[in-house]
Amino acid sequence: MTLRERLHGNEIAPVEAILFGVVDHGDERSAAESLAELSELADTGEFVVAGCMAQHRRHPDPHTYLGAGKLQELAEAVAQTGASVVIADDQLSPAQGRNIEEAVKVAVLDRSELILHIFGIHARTPQARLQVELARLQYQVPRLKRMWTHLERQRGGIGVRGGAGEKQIDVDRSELRSKIAALQRDLEKIGERKVREVRTRADRFTVALVGYTNSGKSTLMNRLTAAGVLAEDRLFSTLDTRTKPWRLAGGRTVLLSDTVGFIRKLPHQLVASFHATLEEALNADLLFLLVDGSSPQALQQLATVEEVLQQLGAGQIPRIQVLNKADQISDRSVLAPIRAHGGTSVLISALNGDGIGELEAALLEHLATVERELILLVDHSAGALRAEVRQLATVLDERFDERGSRILVRASQAAIEQLVAKGARLAAHPDAEPGTTGPSAPAR
Ligand SMILES: Nc1nc2c(ncn2[C@@H]2O[C@H](COP(=O)(O)OP(=O)(O)OP(=O)(O)O)[C@@H](O)[C@H]2O)c(=O)[nH]1
Ligand SMILES: [Mg+2]
């Protein structure tokens, strides 16, 4: 059942929500400001925000999240606005969720559930649907009791009380566990297939676009590859990885993968179940780490992305920082601390194309450091092979003689092996005559 159905039967009415969160003592932003991201999430989740409430505390209360007085205020706000759900800015423990629900008498969602709900709306492929479903079930297991109390309230509490409800929870829990196991098996199969697909592409240099949600990954993907992927001003527009060839000037192509966006406090169940989707990103040769340079939260978002990449085991992949939305940045001095994160950084606008040339140059520079130069000999008769050389390698120079062409290339070891397997020969020395072939691909 969708969240909307759970809350409202099948009737499609705007669901009004009150957002609440705990913010640090020193944080002087207004409730609306500090809950701005949650508000965007709520909007993406198709809720109408009826109010925002923030409490300054060192830590959330372990039992009720908000303090007693603030919780009372929240209950009053619910009664006044007629909101049918309250949404917390953090993940709530099962007990916190239950206690808040008792106080406010409407459904309680936490940030993780809201993110899962959005993923549920946006999942398109069978794999993404399974992954979201798995994460959702895993999230529910320890929280079944809360969901039950809510259902009970909706039904007026008739029928199931005490023991019966408890038993039902046990039954539901074991059902959930077997559903989880089945989903995991299905996903494992898809995962194995995906790993095989990714491996067969190992000879192609792959760049993965990673970054905070809404940073412009899909917009850049569309600009570079005419991929026609959905890009919009909403969080989590992309849930599936799409890989397309990006043709660089000179004919060389690399593969470009667009991936799911990251966000602060991403439920770890989701990170785990999206592992297979992120296979391309995890196996990429290079990451374009996109940052929305126009966002006041850019530094914090960058830190989140770094953290998730570490969790995924992709922390060691070389990266180029891509500072996006240059067209929206009037004061460039704000970019210095973001750039200070080290490595190459390129300022672009995926929207109007500014800086794309520099980005391509930065990629070529990186390729020059990880690939080597050598001469390939290709016979006249092997026209298709010549075309393949141009795709897999950067061609620096080409000369012809009576037997065929001598092509000075820069390429990865994997690409060279692939080309040699298809009949290209290696010149032993850049000055060697055509026909004097090297033994096999020399070691680096
Ligand atoms: N002004 C400006 N807007 C941009 C730029 N690049 C992307 N956008 C806008 O930012 C919004 C998000 O872009 P997407 O490409 O969907 O972002 P994404 O990173 O793929 O987002 P998710 O898939 O949701 O993680 C869209 O409204 C884009 O039009 C840019 O260079 N300048
Ligand atoms: Mg996207």
Side-chain angles (χ1 to χ4, degrees):
M1 208 192 294
T2 67
L3 181 81
R4 188 189 289 282
E5 286 162 349
R6 229 173 74 204
L7 295 171
H8 273 277
N10 285 320
E11 115 205 22
I12 301 295
V15 178
E16 297 209 351
I18 295 187
L19 314 183
F20 63 103
V22 166
V23 295
D24 272 349
H25 265 302
D27 196 334
E28 285 180 358
R29 291 175 301 167
S30 67
E33 279 168 345
S34 58
L35 297 175
E37 186 174 83
L38 186 66
S39 178
E40 264 181 75
L41 280 170
D43 181 51
T44 306
E46 300 174 2
F47 291 97
V48 175
V49 177
C52 284
M53 188 175 282
Q55 181 171 36
H56 288 88
R57 287 176 72 100
R58 209 179 306 274
H59 300 293
D61 183 280
H63 304 292
T64 51
Y65 183 70
L66 297 175
K70 207 67 182 178
L71 193 55
Q72 189 51 39
E73 251 178 68
L74 184 63
E76 281 158 19
V78 168
Q80 264 171 22
T81 58
S84 44
V85 57
V86 293
I87 308 179
D89 194 30
D90 284 285
Q91 179 163 326
L92 298 173
S93 72
Q96 284 173 331
R98 252 194 335 268
N99 292 332
I100 296 172
E101 188 172 299
E102 225 134 76
V104 300
K105 310 268 190 292
V106 292
V108 180
L109 277 189
D110 68 15
R111 186 183 171 96
S112 295
E113 285 168 311
L114 178 56
I115 293 174
L116 287 166
H117 168 63
I118 295 170
F119 273 59
I121 300 176
H122 293 181
R124 294 279 175 271
T125 64
Q127 184 185 18
R129 290 213 182 97
L130 288 177
Q131 286 167 328
V132 173
E133 186 59 16
L134 175 63
R136 201 159 29 195
L137 293 181
Q138 283 172 330
Y139 199 75
Q140 274 176 13
V141 172
R143 290 174 174 76
L144 262 186
K145 201 159 178 181
R146 165 144 78 86
M147 307 205 174
W148 258 91
T149 54
H150 184 69
L151 280 176
E152 280 315 288
R153 186 163 299 117
Q154 278 187 331
R155 292 181 201 151
I158 309 158
V160 192
R161 283 219 174 261
E166 292 297 321
K167 249 185 229 147
Q168 189 56 42
I169 288 167
D170 283 343
V171 172
D172 287 358
R173 197 166 276 155
S174 90
E175 263 175 28
L176 275 188
R177 292 222 167 88
S178 51
K179 271 195 207 157
I180 286 173
L183 279 175
Q184 277 169 331
R185 278 195 299 276
D186 290 350
L187 276 171
E188 240 163 63
K189 273 186 224 136
I190 297 182
E192 283 162 15
R193 201 158 63 223
K194 202 92 187 196
V195 169
R196 277 198 301 277
E197 273 171 34
V198 173
R199 281 216 187 105
T200 57
R201 291 204 288 257
D203 49 323
R204 287 283 190 99
F205 192 91
T206 305
V207 181
L209 295 166
V210 297
Y212 211 73
T213 181
N214 220 36
S215 56
K217 300 176 292 298
S218 299
T219 308
L220 181 59
M221 174 86 172
N222 286 340
R223 173 158 292 278
L224 299 177
T225 70
V229 294
L230 176 71
E232 52 177 354
D233 195 11
R234 294 228 132 179
L235 307 183
F236 302 118
S237 308
T238 309
L239 291 191
D240 310 303
T241 303
R242 285 277 204 91
T243 301
K244 293 267 168 193
W246 170 21
R247 213 176 134 87
L248 307 173
R252 165 87 187 261
T253 53
V254 296
L255 293 177
L256 198 64
S257 290
D258 183 19
T259 65
V260 55
F262 301 157
I263 196 163
R264 215 158 48 90
K265 306 178 195 165
L266 194 64
H268 68 90
Q269 293 90 345
L270 262 185
V271 176
S273 57
F274 270 79
H275 229 269
T277 301
L278 287 165
E279 200 69 46
E280 265 98 342
L282 305 181
N283 280 287
D285 300 289
L286 178 69
L287 302 177
F288 277 177
L289 206 163
L290 254 84
V291 185
D292 174 356
S294 72
S295 163
Q297 311 300 327
L299 262 183
Q300 194 190 33
Q301 295 180 351
L302 186 60
T304 300
V305 172
E306 290 287 0
E307 204 178 294
V308 180
L309 284 173
Q310 293 291 346
Q311 277 175 32
L312 287 166
Q316 298 310 311
I317 303 175
R319 77 267 313 264
I320 291 176
Q321 185 188 75
V322 182
L323 268 168
N324 191 30
K325 308 201 185 180
D327 56 291
Q328 292 285 318
I329 307 168
S330 43
D331 175 13
R332 302 228 159 144
S333 65
V334 300
L335 300 177
I338 307 172
R339 288 194 144 130
H341 268 253
T344 309
S345 174
V346 184
L347 182 62
I348 68 155
S349 167
L351 202 61
N352 68 20
D354 281 352
I356 297 296
E358 281 94 327
L359 182 61
E360 196 169 321
L363 169 64
L364 288 172
E365 208 168 288
H366 174 80
L367 286 175
T369 63
V370 295
E371 298 183 336
R372 60 204 184 91
E373 274 179 30
L374 77 172
I375 292 176
L376 290 174
L377 307 167
V378 177
D379 290 344
H380 277 310
S381 55
L385 181 57
R386 244 189 92 219
E388 203 159 335
V389 170
R390 292 206 160 263
Q391 285 211 336
L392 294 184
T394 304
V395 173
L396 303 170
D397 186 39
E398 181 167 19
R399 291 181 191 179
F400 300 92
D401 59 29
E402 62 287 352
R403 281 196 60 188
S405 52
R406 295 167 55 82
I407 318 174
L408 176 62
V409 297
R410 191 185 297 134
S412 70
Q413 185 65 24
I416 294 165
E417 280 167 19
Q418 162 98 351
L419 292 167
V420 166
K422 292 191 171 170
R425 287 163 294 127
L426 298 165
H429 185 273
D431 296 326
E433 289 305 306
T436 7
T437 57
S440 65
R444 254 171 215 264

